[in-house]
Amino acid sequence: MTHPVNETPVNPLPPVVAALALVMAGFELAFNLGARGLLGGPNAVGWRNTLVERFGFSGRAFDWMLENGSFPPEHLIRFVTYPFFHASFSHALFAVVILLAMGKVVGEVIGSLRVCLLFVLCSIAGALAFGLLGSDPWLLGAYPPVYGLIGGFTYLLWVRLGREGGGQFRAFQLIGFLMGIQLVFAVLFGGGQDWIADLAGFVTGFVLTTALVPGGLARLIAAVRNR
């Protein structure tokens, strides 16, 4: 019999979520130390800009690929690397905090590997939406895949509220609040078109989680067959 003393008081963070957060934090730490001259010598001051130009999602590179029908690996890789590079320390901090919170909740239900898949696919969906609908030159930061995890969390909450007989639209309060905050900041301080990628990430995360939850794919197939 397992003794209660040996039980973990809190569920551990899914390893893939911790790894993603550590990579983002590691880059941000290096950028900040380099900018202060504490790491990497004089060239370190430009580390952020150099890596953003190499791995950030470029709207111009995306347009060039569509116009020329050419998709070189050095540009395709941007679809999955841009979430690891942020515009500033605060930009990275909020992304990592939300990643840890949402990744823990969603990961406990669907597992680490599926969280990783959700992160990657929401990153791609966010970049595609940004490239097709936006006109800004750069997309940076983990917000599209993080919003994808919020989409996954929203689906899980939506299902739970349905089982409990509660108002399921309450599940969308978090995304409504976050998008409202983005709108207010855009009006007051000006803002880019990142919200396009964020919204695409959220929708993708919500839809994919319906299949990624245990038994979700079987339920979807059964629902289609019963129509």
Side-chain angles (χ1 to χ4, degrees):
M1 184 175 70
T2 303
H3 196 282
V5 174
N6 296 325
E7 294 180 357
T8 306
V10 293
N11 291 327
L13 193 67
V16 69
V17 175
L20 290 169
L22 284 173
V23 172
M24 294 175 198
F27 278 121
E28 195 57 39
L29 178 62
F31 294 153
N32 278 273
L33 291 177
R36 289 170 172 76
L38 301 176
L39 182 70
N43 293 331
V45 175
W47 276 353
R48 186 188 299 274
N49 290 338
T50 299
L51 289 178
V52 162
E53 290 176 2
R54 177 65 184 85
F55 296 108
F57 182 78
S58 169
R60 291 177 182 145
F62 180 77
D63 292 341
W64 178 88
M65 287 192 290
L66 292 183
E67 290 170 4
N68 293 276
S70 177
F71 303 92
E74 61 265 27
H75 289 324
L76 288 177
I77 196 174
R78 297 174 185 270
F79 282 88
V80 293
T81 55
Y82 76 87
F84 297 98
F85 303 95
H86 296 80
S88 65
F89 173 79
S90 60
H91 191 225
L93 176 63
F94 286 110
V96 169
V97 168
I98 301 173
L99 169 65
L100 292 173
M102 292 292 102
K104 176 176 171 58
V105 174
V106 177
E108 287 174 352
V109 177
I110 69 175
S112 288
L113 291 179
R114 290 176 179 178
V115 164
C116 185
L117 179 63
L118 192 66
F119 186 93
V120 170
L121 293 178
C122 290
S123 298
I124 294 171
L128 279 173
F130 182 85
L132 292 171
L133 303 176
S135 58
D136 288 355
W138 293 101
L139 175 64
L140 302 173
Y143 290 90
V146 162
Y147 269 71
L149 292 175
I150 295 174
F153 167 78
T154 300
Y155 173 75
L156 297 175
L157 182 58
W158 182 75
V159 170
R160 194 188 79 184
L161 289 172
R163 290 173 178 169
E164 295 174 352
Q168 288 180 287
F169 283 104
R170 287 166 47 202
F172 294 90
Q173 288 178 341
L174 177 59
I175 186 61
F177 172 77
L178 291 173
M179 295 305 293
I181 290 293
Q182 279 193 319
L183 177 61
V184 170
F185 271 82
V187 171
L188 294 179
F189 307 107
Q193 298 173 317
D194 292 6
W195 65 269
I196 296 173
D198 297 343
L199 186 57
F202 172 82
V203 173
T204 303
F206 185 94
V207 172
L208 288 178
T209 304
T210 65
L212 292 176
V213 292
L217 186 58
R219 285 195 295 271
L220 283 178
I221 294 173
V224 171
R225 286 177 177 174
N226 292 333
R227 285 191 173 185

